[in-house]
Amino acid sequence: TARLVVLASGGGSNLAALLAAHDDAGYGARVVAVVTDTPQAGALELARDAGVASAVVEPRSFADRGEWDVALAETVSVFHADYVVSAGFMRILGPAFLARFGGRTVNTHPALLPAFPGAHGVRDALAYRVRVTGCTLHVVDAGVDTGPIIAQVAVPVEPDDDEATLHERIKTQERRLLVEWVGRIARGGLHVDGRDAVVGSDRTVSPTL
Ligand code: GAR
């Protein structure tokens, strides 16, 4: 069973979906720890309720970004992560982290990358008046939401949407996509070949949900 460490900053609905999936023996992965950048993260409570270990690594406890990056990498290492899942983690992972976990860290983003990267993917898509947006699971690289794409799902924008209603519609698809593909990765492996993220022996990136 692959050991997952989940990075989260927010409420943790994506974490909750992984926690609901991992009890199934056939899933192939288990969340062994949740690491946050803030003690406010609702994800910490979900971890506690599920009996999963957790840690808070706050940037303000460190002299600079570099030291925080090293501490985050060391914290995740303690849990012997096979894969790291960034699920609503609102910070850029630095060079020390990627030196240890590059190629086995995935991130879920609430837009169809490469459109609308960054911290406000839903708001930016609404402001652009796109008719379709969605969510993307991708491998994390040194850029902001630029790594190889694993899977995507399209979600329609409705005329009366605001950021909250659109984000909720996206999240409904996002957690299914995350659970599905993290399971596939755990069972089949993840290999990065240039811009191709290859899961198991399956080269396709089309959503099958
Ligand atoms: C998710 O929609 C995730 O894609 C997004 O934050 C939300 C977290 O929800 N992440 C980003 O915007 C990263 N740039 P959750 O805390 O309920 O899982």
Side-chain angles (χ1 to χ4, degrees), residues 22-175:
H22 80 170
D23 282 328
D24 175 354
Y27 186 59
R30 180 146 205 100
V31 179
V32 296
V34 174
V35 178
T36 75
D37 60 334
T38 164
Q40 254 76 269
L44 287 170
E45 216 172 296
L46 292 177
R48 250 192 315 274
D49 291 349
V52 167
S54 63
V56 181
V57 186
E58 275 189 289
R60 62 174 198 168
S61 309
F62 300 91
D64 57 32
R65 252 199 70 78
E67 285 186 23
W68 172 77
D69 176 34
V70 168
L72 187 71
E74 282 173 356
T75 302
V76 172
S77 297
V78 164
F79 297 108
H80 303 288
D82 295 310
Y83 295 99
V84 179
V85 180
S86 162
F89 191 64
M90 302 307 278
R91 295 188 188 272
I92 308 301
L93 297 168
F97 191 92
L98 292 176
R100 241 148 158 166
F101 298 107
R104 50 199 182 103
T105 298
V106 300
N107 176 54
T108 177
H109 183 76
L112 290 176
L113 293 171
F116 313 117
H120 304 292
V122 180
R123 189 185 304 171
D124 294 347
L126 263 182
Y128 202 92
R129 303 290 188 264
V130 293
R131 276 20 177 186
V132 176
T133 182
C135 50
T136 302
L137 184 71
H138 67 94
V139 182
V140 175
D141 68 7
V144 179
D145 301 324
T146 52
I149 289 171
I150 298 166
Q152 296 181 300
V153 170
V155 174
V157 181
E158 303 295 349
D160 55 352
D161 266 335
D162 59 21
E163 189 176 349
T165 59
L166 179 56
H167 201 168
E168 210 38 61
R169 190 175 310 115
I170 291 170
K171 279 181 161 189
T172 302
Q173 298 304 319
E174 189 177 17
R175 48 184 170 255

